[in-house]
Amino acid sequence: ANAYVNRNQAEVRDDVSWIHGRHQITFGGLYERAQLNEDFATLSTGNYSFDGSFTGLGLADFLLGRVSGFSQGSPQIWDARDNMLGLYEQDNFHASKRLTLMAGVRWSPYFVPYDIYGRSSYFNEQDFAAGLHSNKFQNAPPGVFFPGDTIPGQGAFPRAGSHSRLWDFAPRIGVAWDPTGSGLWSVRTSYGVFYGDPEMAYFE
């Protein structure tokens, strides 16, 4: 078994803080471009199991060539590209020496990672039940679509096999209060919505 994995990423980000009167305004953003090229031949060599089903001992089954199970798959190849973008703005307003109010919003669109050679597919259970077929691969099972297909009632097949989410806005608010004015302790509370991009690949 062998594997080839090449991952790299480039990132540009900037943050600005501006103090004006009782306001501390911060804003900024980032853009990240990542690629993941991987070629795993692990499953293509096959996997044999000897569990002692014939002699009671796995090693004895192995020496006799009595296989209890065999599995094999095709190589796993993926040349993925991923784009990540985020912009934010926040205002920390010092209402008094004892009270600070904070509010902001972050724009976190999600762009689905895609394979540069278009190796992806899409399955929809409702399309399967309706018997809808791919117009690119006529012999494909119903409900399964590929790049280049037009999905009935849904438009063109998305390049990544799934649709991106462009309008993910994440608001957040917070309060910091010094109840005694001594500066020795404070009461804080906050609320926010956050989005996280999944990894392009998981290794277990």
Side-chain angles (χ1 to χ4, degrees), residues 53-122:
S53 299
F54 299 97
T55 65
L57 296 172
L59 179 58
D61 283 3
F62 171 73
L63 294 174
L64 293 173
R66 304 300 298 267
V67 180
S68 62
F70 174 75
S71 62
Q72 186 177 27
S74 60
Q76 297 173 323
I77 302 173
W78 198 36
D79 295 293
R81 302 295 181 268
D82 188 19
N83 296 288
M84 188 172 72
L85 176 67
L87 301 173
Y88 77 92
E89 184 276 334
Q90 180 167 317
D91 183 7
N92 295 345
F93 174 61
H94 299 279
S96 69
K97 291 183 178 180
R98 296 169 53 185
L99 180 64
T100 300
L101 306 175
M102 295 155 278
V105 65
R106 183 180 185 90
W107 178 46
S108 299
Y110 172 59
F111 302 103
V112 181
Y114 64 94
D115 182 276
I116 59 175
Y117 298 110
R119 292 170 294 206
S120 61
S121 61
Y122 166 84

Side-chain angles (χ1 to χ4, degrees), residues 72-201:
Q72 186 177 27
S74 60
Q76 297 173 323
I77 302 173
W78 198 36
D79 295 293
R81 302 295 181 268
D82 188 19
N83 296 288
M84 188 172 72
L85 176 67
L87 301 173
Y88 77 92
E89 184 276 334
Q90 180 167 317
D91 183 7
N92 295 345
F93 174 61
H94 299 279
S96 69
K97 291 183 178 180
R98 296 169 53 185
L99 180 64
T100 300
L101 306 175
M102 295 155 278
V105 65
R106 183 180 185 90
W107 178 46
S108 299
Y110 172 59
F111 302 103
V112 181
Y114 64 94
D115 182 276
I116 59 175
Y117 298 110
R119 292 170 294 206
S120 61
S121 61
Y122 166 84
F123 173 75
N124 185 287
E125 187 176 358
Q126 287 77 26
D127 294 339
F128 172 79
L132 300 179
H133 285 267
S134 165
N135 52 39
K136 185 174 182 181
F137 298 104
Q138 301 277 326
N139 293 329
V144 180
F145 300 95
F146 306 87
D149 269 327
T150 299
I151 305 174
Q154 302 174 44
F157 178 93
R159 175 177 65 171
S162 182
H163 295 283
S164 296
R165 295 170 54 96
L166 300 181
W167 305 113
D168 285 346
F169 288 95
R172 61 276 320 262
I173 56 174
V175 176
W177 176 48
D178 180 353
T180 64
S182 64
L184 297 178
W185 65 290
S186 63
V187 177
R188 299 173 183 267
T189 186
S190 62
Y191 170 82
V193 175
F194 300 87
Y195 295 95
D197 287 349
E199 294 291 334
M200 284 195 288

